Amino acid sequence: MIKRISSLGNGFVDYLNALGESWVFVFKALSEAFEAPYEIKLFIKQLYVIGVQSISVVALVGGFTGAVLAVQGEYTLSQFGASAYTGSAVALSLIRELGPVLTALMVNGRAGSSMTAELGIMKISEQIDALKAMGINPIHHLITPRLLAGTISVPLLTAIFITVGIGGGYLVGVGTLDLAAGTFISVMKQSVTPTDVISGLVKSLIFGFCLTWISCFRGWKCGFGAVGVNKATTSAVVTSSVCILVLDYFLTAILTSMFLN
Amino acid sequence: MNIKVKNLSKSFKTQNVLKNLTIDFPSNLTTTVVGPSGTGKSVMLKLITGLFEADSGSILFDNIDFTNSTKEVRSSICRKIGFLFQGAALFDSITVLENVMFPLIYSEKKDLSNSVMVERAREELKKVDMLDYENALPGEISIGMRKRVGIARAMITKPEILLFDEPNTGLDPLVGQEIYDLIKDLKRESKFTGIIVSHELPEVYQVSDKIVMLYGGDVHFDGSVSEFENSENPVVKQFKNGDIEGPIKPNQ
Ligand SMILES: Nc1ncnc2c1ncn2[C@@H]1O[C@H](COP(=O)(O)OP(=O)(O)O)[C@@H](O)[C@H]1O
Ligand SMILES: [Mg+2]
């Protein structure tokens, strides 16, 4: 019994250690952003890998999400005779909630997991040691470009998600649900305010930062062998996904109360 | 450049890996460090390059203490070291040629033009007979080839110190001999202080000027190759003959 309690305690201490280390890690990575030489090429490469290569899947998911929102929104609203407001429902849901969250989850699955695996393999095959042995700071070279690119990519991808989503909602709403095209757009314009857009943007920035942070840190701390990489990747995807959803609740609460006052 | 390791100790958590190690690596000669797996040979190399911090003791490069030096002095020493890792540690997202150019691209002197760097990298690739594979990715070539590229990458900065971590482990005897021949060529053509970590006896004698045997974190032998061959020290004898019985216990 005492053994069990003590192992529980040890586990907790290990957890706190890792948490502390992850903050030191991200702080170092951010401060390296201001250190010359600026690795613009590496940053652009990561923008491409994390951002550009995610465009098609984000657009696809965005389009169908918008379409589903139109169908569901129209069904609910029609019960109150308010199906004319379907356009607002689609746009607001996408901008405030589903755009940032689903984009972050998609990027996490696509780019986050591969980041963890790549860094983990670099660690266990001594590539990170090789960098250090050449006098190159691996955080500066590997982590900083990824962290910046991830933080910037997610909001941009979210914008694509929302745009394509509204398009999908419009096509379904106007094409198959017989909503008036003019009304769809005009109610949308009326209901969406700058604060909606800002809160969506803030969320997606934070999601992008957190998911890259977690993915990079898990890869960086990867254990030995294929098992180590496997564990790190799984844990990175699960941790980031949970983080995104939990943060989403708190951010929504904070942002809503901020803008209501 | 002469390297001296003095009273060096290193432990991980509860495990004492190196205990008070004192070894002299004479300038422009190649010293081979032998010993059973898990005795801390790789850890010793990583301490010398600054990849690990020692718990106590000092590492002297031409009498400059590495362990107590400033960041600038340390990185200037680091740039004089070429390191061949056990699995070559090539960067797998870039080509063979880019791997060899890498230390030049990211070194302090950024004044070399791209074409000069390509030229230099090709020169090094030619020496290790890998010019035909310059556009291959490391994942596409065999481990023996990767080690040759690793040697080219280590040599491109014209290092004064070359460290080889098990240059032959995982290679078949023929490819292994090719690597030894390559090291012999390097020794003939350029001056460097070499440290080879290996447990390949007697093959490794051909490239060694001096042998040091580690076991259990201590030095058990330090002398010339012929002294090693004739040594009656029970630890050395057991290791040379690969005997089961003797002072060396497996998994220690
Ligand atoms: N980064 C590390 N963390 C914890 N223990 C390590 C680390 N690197 C090496 N060790 C331990 O140090 C011992 C010596 O390892 P190593 O130097 O790789 O042996 P070898 O002589 O075969 O090269 C091993 O028991 C290993 O478990
Ligand atoms: Mg080793």
Side-chain angles (χ1 to χ4, degrees):
Chain A
M1 186 67 197
I2 288 175
K3 244 189 189 165
R4 259 194 224 162
I5 292 173
S6 95
S7 88
L8 209 71
N10 282 339
F12 187 63
V13 169
D14 286 347
Y15 170 76
L16 286 183
N17 262 334
L19 199 67
E21 260 183 82
S22 77
W23 280 91
V24 173
F25 173 80
V26 78
F27 182 76
K28 275 191 193 156
L30 286 179
S31 56
E32 281 298 325
F34 303 100
E35 299 278 336
Y38 307 108
E39 306 292 0
I40 309 286
K41 261 193 194 161
L42 296 175
F43 169 69
I44 291 175
K45 187 178 171 193
Q46 288 307 319
L47 268 187
Y48 181 78
V49 172
I50 303 171
V52 177
Q53 291 192 337
S54 303
I55 289 177
S56 52
V57 65
V58 162
L60 186 74
V61 174
F64 278 98
T65 306
V68 169
L69 279 176
V71 176
Q72 294 285 18
E74 196 270 346
Y75 172 74
T76 312
L77 290 168
S78 69
Q79 313 217 334
F80 309 100
S83 55
Y85 289 98
T86 306
S88 320
V90 170
L92 283 177
S93 319
L94 283 172
I95 292 171
R96 294 180 58 98
E97 204 58 59
L98 293 175
V101 171
L102 290 180
T103 306
L105 291 176
M106 295 308 299
V107 173
N108 187 33
R110 225 208 106 263
S113 59
S114 76
M115 231 179 309
T116 311
E118 192 187 3
L119 289 170
I121 288 170
M122 289 190 80
K123 183 184 171 196
I124 64 173
S125 62
E126 299 183 303
Q127 292 176 48
I128 291 181
D129 283 343
L131 280 176
K132 286 190 202 161
M134 291 176 198
I136 297 165
N137 180 343
I139 296 217
H140 183 85
H141 191 85
L142 296 172
I143 309 300
T144 308
R146 283 174 172 75
L147 199 64
L148 296 182
T151 310
I152 291 169
S153 295
V154 173
L156 294 176
L157 289 166
T158 303
I160 293 174
F161 185 101
I162 292 168
T163 313
V164 179
I166 291 173
Y170 179 87
L171 283 182
V172 170
V174 175
T176 68
L177 301 172
D178 292 332
L179 298 170
T183 322
F184 190 95
I185 301 289
S186 66
V187 292
M188 196 171 89
K189 275 188 180 163
Q190 270 168 26
S191 57
V192 176
T193 61
T195 57
D196 297 321
V197 178
I198 291 171
S199 69
L201 183 73
V202 169
K203 275 185 183 178
S204 64
L205 266 174
I206 294 177
F207 292 162
F209 179 75
C210 287
L211 85 86
T212 342
W213 173 12
I214 293 169
S215 305
C216 286
F217 183 68
R218 293 313 308 229
W220 187 256
K221 286 269 131 197
C222 167
F224 293 101
V227 183
V229 177
N230 186 358
K231 264 193 186 161
T233 311
T234 311
S235 125
V237 172
V238 172
T239 315
S240 320
S241 306
V242 170
C243 255
I244 288 165
L245 294 169
V246 172
L247 270 176
D248 184 47
Y249 167 74
F250 287 105
L251 286 172
T252 306
I254 293 168
L255 290 166
T256 311
S257 71
M258 254 170 59
F259 287 126
L260 281 182
N261 294 331
Chain B
M1 195 178 249
N2 165 286
I3 308 170
K4 274 199 180 86
V5 161
K6 257 193 196 162
N7 304 329
L8 202 64
S9 299
K10 175 75 185 170
S11 50
F12 293 105
K13 290 192 177 148
T14 55
Q15 185 190 10
N16 266 328
V17 180
L18 300 177
K19 304 165 197 156
N20 253 330
L21 214 59
T22 299
I23 308 174
D24 189 14
F25 299 99
S27 187
N28 298 333
L29 294 181
T30 299
T31 306
T32 297
V33 179
V34 300
S37 291
T39 40
K41 304 184 296 294
S42 299
V43 170
M44 183 197 72
L45 285 186
K46 288 181 181 178
L47 285 168
I48 291 176
T49 45
L51 292 173
F52 287 150
E53 291 289 334
D55 298 339
S56 62
S58 48
I59 301 162
L60 306 171
F61 291 87
D62 278 346
N63 294 321
I64 301 169
D65 189 348
F66 184 74
T67 30
N68 293 320
S69 296
T70 59
K71 218 175 155 190
E72 286 72 36
V73 175
R74 288 177 73 135
S75 70
S76 86
I77 292 175
C78 269
R79 285 173 207 283
K80 294 188 178 133
I81 303 177
F83 199 137
L84 177 66
F85 286 88
Q86 206 162 333
L90 300 182
F91 303 119
D92 37 34
S93 59
I94 55 178
T95 64
V96 162
L97 184 74
E98 289 166 331
N99 261 287
V100 179
M101 282 165 65
F102 198 92
L104 291 184
I105 299 176
Y106 291 98
S107 75
E108 269 164 323
K109 346 183 190 62
K110 290 224 170 192
D111 45 9
L112 293 177
S113 74
N114 195 57
S115 59
V116 172
M117 290 193 285
V118 170
E119 201 55 43
R120 289 269 305 276
R122 290 213 172 111
E123 245 170 62
E124 293 300 332
L125 277 176
K126 193 161 173 225
K127 284 187 202 158
V128 298
D129 201 17
M130 284 295 296
L131 205 49
D132 296 342
Y133 296 89
E134 62 170 46
N135 292 318
L137 290 172
E140 297 164 351
I141 57 178
S142 72
I143 174 67
M145 291 175 170
R146 287 206 288 277
K147 290 211 177 184
R148 286 183 358 218
V149 176
I151 291 177
R153 183 176 71 178
M155 289 304 291
I156 196 161
T157 52
K158 307 203 186 309
E160 293 174 42
I161 298 163
L162 264 179
L163 310 178
F164 299 89
D165 195 354
E166 309 214 1
N168 298 60
T169 305
L171 303 183
D172 66 66
L174 286 178
V175 178
Q177 186 55 43
E178 280 175 17
I179 300 280
Y180 284 131
D181 289 342
L182 213 66
I183 297 175
K184 280 192 239 169
D185 289 345
L186 293 179
K187 286 180 66 173
R188 212 174 310 121
E189 287 158 16
S190 39
K191 263 191 177 174
F192 59 85
T193 307
I195 304 179
I196 300 177
V197 158
S198 175
H199 41 64
E200 286 222 345
L201 303 180
E203 290 85 351
V204 75
Y205 295 160
Q206 57 184 300
V207 290
S208 313
D209 302 312
K210 185 185 159 180
I211 306 254
V212 171
M213 177 162 174
L214 289 190
Y215 169 63
D218 296 317
V219 176
H220 283 258
F221 178 88
D222 187 335
S224 70
V225 174
S226 59
E227 281 165 0
F228 188 75
E229 282 181 292
N230 300 321
S231 171
E232 291 293 323
N233 177 324
V235 173
V236 173
K237 246 179 125 179
Q238 186 195 351
F239 186 65
K240 280 190 300 191
N241 301 336
D243 296 337
I244 310 282
E245 295 293 326
I248 302 179
K249 304 277 176 289
N251 304 324
Q252 196 177 311

Short mmCIF file of all heavy atoms in Angstrom, two decimals, chain A residues 37 39 42 45 118 121-122 125-127 129-136 141, chain B residues 46 51 78-79 81 83 85-87 89-93 102-103 106 110 153:
data_model
loop_
_atom_site.label_atom_id
_atom_site.label_comp_id
_atom_site.label_asym_id
_atom_site.label_seq_id
_atom_site.Cartn_x
_atom_site.Cartn_y
_atom_site.Cartn_z
N PRO A 37 22.04 33.55 -36.05
CA PRO A 37 21.49 33.85 -37.37
C PRO A 37 20.01 33.46 -37.47
O PRO A 37 19.62 32.44 -36.93
CB PRO A 37 22.33 32.94 -38.28
CG PRO A 37 22.71 31.78 -37.41
CD PRO A 37 22.84 32.32 -36.03
N GLU A 39 17.06 31.81 -39.01
CA GLU A 39 16.96 30.70 -39.97
C GLU A 39 15.70 30.85 -40.80
O GLU A 39 14.74 30.09 -40.67
CB GLU A 39 16.98 29.36 -39.25
CG GLU A 39 18.17 29.16 -38.33
CD GLU A 39 19.50 29.03 -39.07
OE1 GLU A 39 19.51 29.11 -40.31
OE2 GLU A 39 20.52 28.87 -38.38
N LEU A 42 14.70 27.75 -42.91
CA LEU A 42 14.10 26.66 -42.14
C LEU A 42 12.67 27.00 -41.75
O LEU A 42 11.79 26.15 -41.76
CB LEU A 42 14.93 26.38 -40.88
CG LEU A 42 16.35 25.90 -41.12
CD1 LEU A 42 17.11 25.78 -39.81
CD2 LEU A 42 16.33 24.55 -41.82
N LYS A 45 10.47 26.58 -44.75
CA LYS A 45 10.26 25.15 -45.00
C LYS A 45 9.17 24.60 -44.07
O LYS A 45 8.30 23.85 -44.48
CB LYS A 45 11.58 24.41 -44.79
CG LYS A 45 11.48 22.96 -45.20
CD LYS A 45 12.79 22.23 -45.04
CE LYS A 45 12.57 20.74 -45.26
NZ LYS A 45 13.70 19.93 -44.83
N GLU A 118 9.36 12.90 -36.19
CA GLU A 118 10.60 13.33 -36.84
C GLU A 118 11.66 13.71 -35.80
O GLU A 118 12.81 13.26 -35.87
CB GLU A 118 10.31 14.52 -37.76
CG GLU A 118 11.48 14.83 -38.67
CD GLU A 118 11.26 16.11 -39.47
OE1 GLU A 118 10.22 16.77 -39.27
OE2 GLU A 118 12.14 16.44 -40.26
N ILE A 121 12.87 10.58 -33.89
CA ILE A 121 13.82 9.78 -34.66
C ILE A 121 15.18 10.50 -34.73
O ILE A 121 16.23 9.88 -34.60
CB ILE A 121 13.27 9.47 -36.07
CG1 ILE A 121 12.14 8.45 -35.93
CG2 ILE A 121 14.35 8.94 -36.99
CD1 ILE A 121 11.33 8.22 -37.19
N MET A 122 15.13 11.81 -34.88
CA MET A 122 16.40 12.56 -34.89
C MET A 122 17.13 12.39 -33.58
O MET A 122 18.36 12.32 -33.54
CB MET A 122 16.14 14.05 -35.13
CG MET A 122 15.71 14.37 -36.52
SD MET A 122 15.71 16.14 -36.83
CE MET A 122 17.46 16.42 -37.13
N SER A 125 18.49 8.63 -33.25
CA SER A 125 19.55 8.27 -34.20
C SER A 125 20.74 9.24 -34.07
O SER A 125 21.55 9.36 -34.98
CB SER A 125 19.02 8.26 -35.62
OG SER A 125 18.56 9.54 -35.96
N GLU A 126 20.82 9.95 -32.96
CA GLU A 126 21.94 10.84 -32.62
C GLU A 126 22.09 12.04 -33.54
O GLU A 126 23.11 12.71 -33.54
CB GLU A 126 23.27 10.06 -32.57
CG GLU A 126 23.30 8.95 -31.54
CD GLU A 126 24.64 8.25 -31.45
OE1 GLU A 126 25.10 7.75 -32.48
OE2 GLU A 126 25.23 8.22 -30.35
N GLN A 127 21.04 12.34 -34.34
CA GLN A 127 21.16 13.50 -35.23
C GLN A 127 21.19 14.80 -34.44
O GLN A 127 21.84 15.77 -34.83
CB GLN A 127 20.00 13.54 -36.22
CG GLN A 127 20.05 12.40 -37.23
CD GLN A 127 18.83 12.40 -38.14
OE1 GLN A 127 18.45 13.41 -38.69
NE2 GLN A 127 18.21 11.24 -38.29
N ASP A 129 22.46 15.06 -31.39
CA ASP A 129 23.84 15.12 -30.87
C ASP A 129 24.79 15.60 -31.95
O ASP A 129 25.73 16.35 -31.68
CB ASP A 129 24.30 13.73 -30.40
CG ASP A 129 23.70 13.37 -29.05
OD1 ASP A 129 23.23 14.29 -28.36
OD2 ASP A 129 23.70 12.18 -28.69
N ALA A 130 24.56 15.15 -33.19
CA ALA A 130 25.44 15.56 -34.29
C ALA A 130 25.38 17.07 -34.48
O ALA A 130 26.41 17.72 -34.69
CB ALA A 130 25.06 14.85 -35.58
N LEU A 131 24.19 17.64 -34.39
CA LEU A 131 24.07 19.10 -34.48
C LEU A 131 24.87 19.77 -33.38
O LEU A 131 25.66 20.69 -33.64
CB LEU A 131 22.60 19.52 -34.34
CG LEU A 131 21.69 19.41 -35.55
CD1 LEU A 131 20.28 19.78 -35.14
CD2 LEU A 131 22.16 20.33 -36.66
N LYS A 132 24.67 19.30 -32.15
CA LYS A 132 25.39 19.90 -31.01
C LYS A 132 26.89 19.78 -31.22
O LYS A 132 27.63 20.72 -30.95
CB LYS A 132 25.02 19.19 -29.72
CG LYS A 132 23.64 19.50 -29.21
CD LYS A 132 23.52 18.92 -27.79
CE LYS A 132 22.08 18.71 -27.40
NZ LYS A 132 21.96 17.75 -26.27
N ALA A 133 27.34 18.60 -31.70
CA ALA A 133 28.77 18.39 -31.87
C ALA A 133 29.34 19.34 -32.91
O ALA A 133 30.52 19.66 -32.89
CB ALA A 133 29.05 16.95 -32.26
N MET A 134 28.50 19.81 -33.85
CA MET A 134 28.99 20.78 -34.84
C MET A 134 28.91 22.20 -34.31
O MET A 134 29.14 23.16 -35.04
CB MET A 134 28.13 20.69 -36.11
CG MET A 134 28.30 19.43 -36.89
SD MET A 134 27.13 19.47 -38.26
CE MET A 134 27.12 17.74 -38.68
N GLY A 135 28.51 22.34 -33.05
CA GLY A 135 28.39 23.68 -32.48
C GLY A 135 27.12 24.39 -32.87
O GLY A 135 27.03 25.61 -32.80
N ILE A 136 26.10 23.62 -33.33
CA ILE A 136 24.83 24.23 -33.72
C ILE A 136 23.81 23.98 -32.60
O ILE A 136 23.69 22.86 -32.12
CB ILE A 136 24.32 23.61 -35.04
CG1 ILE A 136 25.31 23.91 -36.16
CG2 ILE A 136 22.93 24.15 -35.39
CD1 ILE A 136 25.10 23.08 -37.38
N HIS A 141 17.86 25.62 -34.21
CA HIS A 141 17.82 25.08 -35.56
C HIS A 141 16.52 24.29 -35.84
O HIS A 141 16.00 24.32 -36.94
CB HIS A 141 19.03 24.16 -35.74
CG HIS A 141 19.27 23.75 -37.16
ND1 HIS A 141 20.00 24.52 -38.03
CD2 HIS A 141 18.89 22.66 -37.84
CE1 HIS A 141 20.04 23.92 -39.20
NE2 HIS A 141 19.39 22.79 -39.11
N LYS B 46 31.29 11.52 -25.66
CA LYS B 46 30.33 12.63 -25.58
C LYS B 46 30.77 13.66 -24.54
O LYS B 46 30.46 14.84 -24.68
CB LYS B 46 28.93 12.10 -25.30
CG LYS B 46 28.37 11.41 -26.54
CD LYS B 46 26.98 10.88 -26.37
CE LYS B 46 26.57 10.19 -27.68
NZ LYS B 46 25.24 9.59 -27.58
N LEU B 51 28.92 17.06 -25.23
CA LEU B 51 27.51 16.69 -25.33
C LEU B 51 26.94 16.33 -23.96
O LEU B 51 25.75 16.46 -23.72
CB LEU B 51 27.32 15.50 -26.29
CG LEU B 51 27.62 15.80 -27.75
CD1 LEU B 51 27.58 14.54 -28.58
CD2 LEU B 51 26.64 16.82 -28.29
N CYS B 78 35.01 22.92 -30.14
CA CYS B 78 34.07 22.00 -30.81
C CYS B 78 34.26 22.01 -32.32
O CYS B 78 34.14 20.97 -32.97
CB CYS B 78 32.63 22.43 -30.51
SG CYS B 78 31.98 21.63 -29.06
N ARG B 79 34.53 23.18 -32.87
CA ARG B 79 34.67 23.26 -34.32
C ARG B 79 35.94 22.60 -34.84
O ARG B 79 36.10 22.42 -36.03
CB ARG B 79 34.61 24.72 -34.77
CG ARG B 79 33.21 25.26 -34.73
CD ARG B 79 33.15 26.72 -35.01
NE ARG B 79 31.99 27.32 -34.36
CZ ARG B 79 30.75 27.20 -34.83
NH1 ARG B 79 30.53 26.55 -35.94
NH2 ARG B 79 29.74 27.75 -34.19
N ILE B 81 36.67 19.62 -33.83
CA ILE B 81 36.44 18.19 -33.64
C ILE B 81 35.52 17.66 -34.75
O ILE B 81 34.50 18.27 -35.05
CB ILE B 81 35.77 17.93 -32.28
CG1 ILE B 81 36.64 18.48 -31.14
CG2 ILE B 81 35.51 16.44 -32.08
CD1 ILE B 81 36.02 18.32 -29.76
N PHE B 83 33.27 14.26 -35.63
CA PHE B 83 32.71 13.15 -34.86
C PHE B 83 31.99 12.21 -35.82
O PHE B 83 31.08 12.62 -36.52
CB PHE B 83 31.72 13.71 -33.83
CG PHE B 83 31.41 12.78 -32.68
CD1 PHE B 83 31.35 13.27 -31.38
CD2 PHE B 83 31.16 11.43 -32.88
CE1 PHE B 83 31.05 12.43 -30.31
CE2 PHE B 83 30.87 10.58 -31.81
CZ PHE B 83 30.81 11.09 -30.53
N PHE B 85 29.50 9.33 -35.70
CA PHE B 85 28.62 8.66 -34.75
C PHE B 85 28.43 7.19 -35.11
O PHE B 85 28.64 6.78 -36.26
CB PHE B 85 27.27 9.37 -34.70
CG PHE B 85 27.32 10.67 -33.96
CD1 PHE B 85 27.65 11.84 -34.62
CD2 PHE B 85 27.06 10.73 -32.60
CE1 PHE B 85 27.72 13.04 -33.94
CE2 PHE B 85 27.12 11.92 -31.92
CZ PHE B 85 27.45 13.08 -32.59
N GLN B 86 28.00 6.43 -34.09
CA GLN B 86 27.84 4.99 -34.25
C GLN B 86 26.97 4.63 -35.46
O GLN B 86 27.30 3.76 -36.24
CB GLN B 86 27.24 4.42 -32.97
CG GLN B 86 27.57 2.98 -32.73
CD GLN B 86 27.35 2.59 -31.27
OE1 GLN B 86 27.44 3.41 -30.36
NE2 GLN B 86 27.05 1.34 -31.04
N GLY B 87 25.85 5.34 -35.63
CA GLY B 87 24.97 5.05 -36.77
C GLY B 87 25.10 6.11 -37.85
O GLY B 87 24.19 6.31 -38.64
N ALA B 89 24.53 9.09 -38.04
CA ALA B 89 23.75 10.28 -37.66
C ALA B 89 23.67 11.31 -38.78
O ALA B 89 23.77 12.51 -38.54
CB ALA B 89 24.30 10.92 -36.38
N LEU B 90 23.49 10.84 -40.01
CA LEU B 90 23.26 11.79 -41.11
C LEU B 90 21.86 12.36 -40.95
O LEU B 90 20.97 11.71 -40.42
CB LEU B 90 23.36 11.07 -42.46
CG LEU B 90 24.70 10.42 -42.77
CD1 LEU B 90 24.65 9.79 -44.16
CD2 LEU B 90 25.84 11.41 -42.69
N PHE B 91 21.66 13.60 -41.42
CA PHE B 91 20.33 14.22 -41.34
C PHE B 91 19.49 13.64 -42.46
O PHE B 91 19.81 13.79 -43.64
CB PHE B 91 20.45 15.73 -41.46
CG PHE B 91 21.36 16.30 -40.41
CD1 PHE B 91 22.51 16.99 -40.76
CD2 PHE B 91 21.10 16.09 -39.06
CE1 PHE B 91 23.36 17.48 -39.79
CE2 PHE B 91 21.94 16.58 -38.08
CZ PHE B 91 23.07 17.26 -38.45
N ASP B 92 18.38 12.98 -42.10
CA ASP B 92 17.73 12.18 -43.14
C ASP B 92 16.76 12.94 -44.04
O ASP B 92 16.22 12.35 -44.96
CB ASP B 92 17.12 10.88 -42.59
CG ASP B 92 16.50 11.05 -41.23
OD1 ASP B 92 15.96 12.13 -40.96
OD2 ASP B 92 16.57 10.11 -40.46
N SER B 93 16.56 14.23 -43.80
CA SER B 93 15.68 14.95 -44.71
C SER B 93 16.46 15.67 -45.81
O SER B 93 15.85 16.28 -46.69
CB SER B 93 14.84 15.96 -43.94
OG SER B 93 15.69 16.87 -43.27
N PHE B 102 26.83 20.53 -44.80
CA PHE B 102 26.15 21.09 -43.62
C PHE B 102 27.07 21.85 -42.65
O PHE B 102 26.78 23.00 -42.30
CB PHE B 102 25.41 19.97 -42.90
CG PHE B 102 24.35 20.45 -41.96
CD1 PHE B 102 23.04 20.59 -42.38
CD2 PHE B 102 24.67 20.77 -40.66
CE1 PHE B 102 22.07 21.05 -41.52
CE2 PHE B 102 23.70 21.23 -39.79
CZ PHE B 102 22.40 21.37 -40.22
N PRO B 103 28.20 21.25 -42.23
CA PRO B 103 29.06 21.96 -41.28
C PRO B 103 29.59 23.28 -41.85
O PRO B 103 29.82 24.22 -41.11
CB PRO B 103 30.21 20.99 -41.02
CG PRO B 103 29.68 19.66 -41.40
CD PRO B 103 28.71 19.90 -42.51
N TYR B 106 26.60 25.98 -41.84
CA TYR B 106 26.24 26.53 -40.55
C TYR B 106 27.45 26.86 -39.68
O TYR B 106 27.31 27.05 -38.48
CB TYR B 106 25.29 25.57 -39.83
CG TYR B 106 23.95 25.52 -40.52
CD1 TYR B 106 23.63 24.50 -41.41
CD2 TYR B 106 23.03 26.54 -40.32
CE1 TYR B 106 22.42 24.48 -42.07
CE2 TYR B 106 21.82 26.53 -40.99
CZ TYR B 106 21.51 25.50 -41.85
OH TYR B 106 20.32 25.50 -42.50
N LYS B 110 30.59 32.45 -42.79
CA LYS B 110 29.54 32.29 -43.78
C LYS B 110 29.98 32.87 -45.11
O LYS B 110 29.17 33.08 -46.00
CB LYS B 110 28.27 33.00 -43.29
CG LYS B 110 27.63 32.31 -42.11
CD LYS B 110 26.14 32.23 -42.27
CE LYS B 110 25.56 31.32 -41.22
NZ LYS B 110 24.19 30.95 -41.43
N ARG B 153 31.60 14.07 -43.91
CA ARG B 153 31.03 15.22 -43.21
C ARG B 153 31.94 15.66 -42.07
O ARG B 153 32.10 16.84 -41.81
CB ARG B 153 29.64 14.87 -42.68
CG ARG B 153 28.96 16.04 -42.01
CD ARG B 153 27.55 15.72 -41.57
NE ARG B 153 27.54 14.79 -40.45
CZ ARG B 153 26.42 14.38 -39.85
NH1 ARG B 153 25.24 14.76 -40.30
NH2 ARG B 153 26.48 13.55 -38.83
#
